[in-house]
Amino acid sequence: LRLTGEKPISDAWSFVYEAEAARQDDYGNNPADYNANYYHISPAVKHGGLTLGLGYESLGGDGTSAFQTPLATLHAFNGWADKFLTTPANGLEDKYAKAAYKVSGIGPWIDNTVFDAVYHDFDAEDTGADYGTEWNPQLSRTFKTEKETYPFKEWSVSLKYADYDAEDLFTDTQKVWLTLGTKF
């Protein structure tokens, strides 16, 4: 189940919400007696180019099996250090705070630049073990191509950083990502 939306609070502010729930169970003749739950809630407020939000995500685990998302891009959700591309057997709780600001009204080369940051606090869902914390700041910009004769409609560039501080699992990790993209 997934519910998302945005509601005005006043002329300048709006409330943004996202809530999800899912369940996985073993299937057919699977010898593992398996079931795990997934929950996610992420409220935020927006004012102009500023967005502030909090979130809680829980991927269930019982010490043997955990909620898995093999087709997902978890890099986008559970930290850019990529420590949780597979959910640990004891599950994962991700409590996070996020802030983003999209620049406008300064000039054509600066407008539409986005500064955003996310702070994660990771724990085991089953045992409560402390998996550590992670900071994820990012600077990104998309440029529209003005001439229709160019083969690209737009291109983008982003610079992001991951700083994972380990506790009961993994090791401390820092990563820098520089990405370039385009749309045809």
Side-chain angles (χ1 to χ4, degrees), residues 58-74:
S58 175
L59 293 94
D62 61 10
T64 303
S65 301
F67 192 94
Q68 298 298 327
T69 55
L71 302 178
T73 173
L74 295 179

Side-chain angles (χ1 to χ4, degrees), residues 33-174:
D33 183 17
Y34 165 71
N35 62 64
N37 294 315
Y38 168 82
Y39 304 102
H40 180 220
I41 186 165
S42 181
V45 291
K46 287 174 68 174
H47 179 271
L50 178 66
T51 303
L52 301 171
L54 297 172
Y56 174 79
E57 183 176 35
S58 175
L59 293 94
D62 61 10
T64 303
S65 301
F67 192 94
Q68 298 298 327
T69 55
L71 302 178
T73 173
L74 295 179
H75 173 84
F77 301 102
N78 298 124
W80 299 331
D82 294 332
K83 295 299 187 177
F84 301 102
L85 296 180
T86 300
T87 307
N90 286 318
L92 176 66
E93 286 186 349
D94 179 5
K95 298 172 285 293
Y96 61 90
K98 58 185 178 178
Y101 183 72
K102 185 175 184 178
V103 178
S104 65
I106 293 180
W109 282 96
I110 302 295
D111 286 357
N112 297 318
T113 300
V114 178
F115 301 95
D116 61 289
V118 181
Y119 174 78
H120 297 271
D121 183 4
F122 300 112
D123 295 303
E125 188 270 343
D126 186 40
T127 64
D130 186 354
Y131 289 160
T133 60
E134 185 171 336
W135 277 102
N136 296 141
Q138 175 178 234
L139 174 65
S140 59
R141 174 76 164 92
T142 299
F143 298 89
K144 302 277 186 197
T145 304
E146 293 182 19
K147 295 183 180 179
E148 294 179 15
T149 58
Y150 290 158
F152 308 112
K153 292 182 181 179
E154 67 181 40
W155 58 279
S156 61
V157 61
S158 72
L159 177 64
K160 59 186 176 180
Y161 175 70
D163 186 0
Y164 176 75
D165 183 19
E167 289 297 329
D168 298 337
L169 188 68
F170 303 122
T171 57
D172 292 352
T173 303
Q174 293 80 36

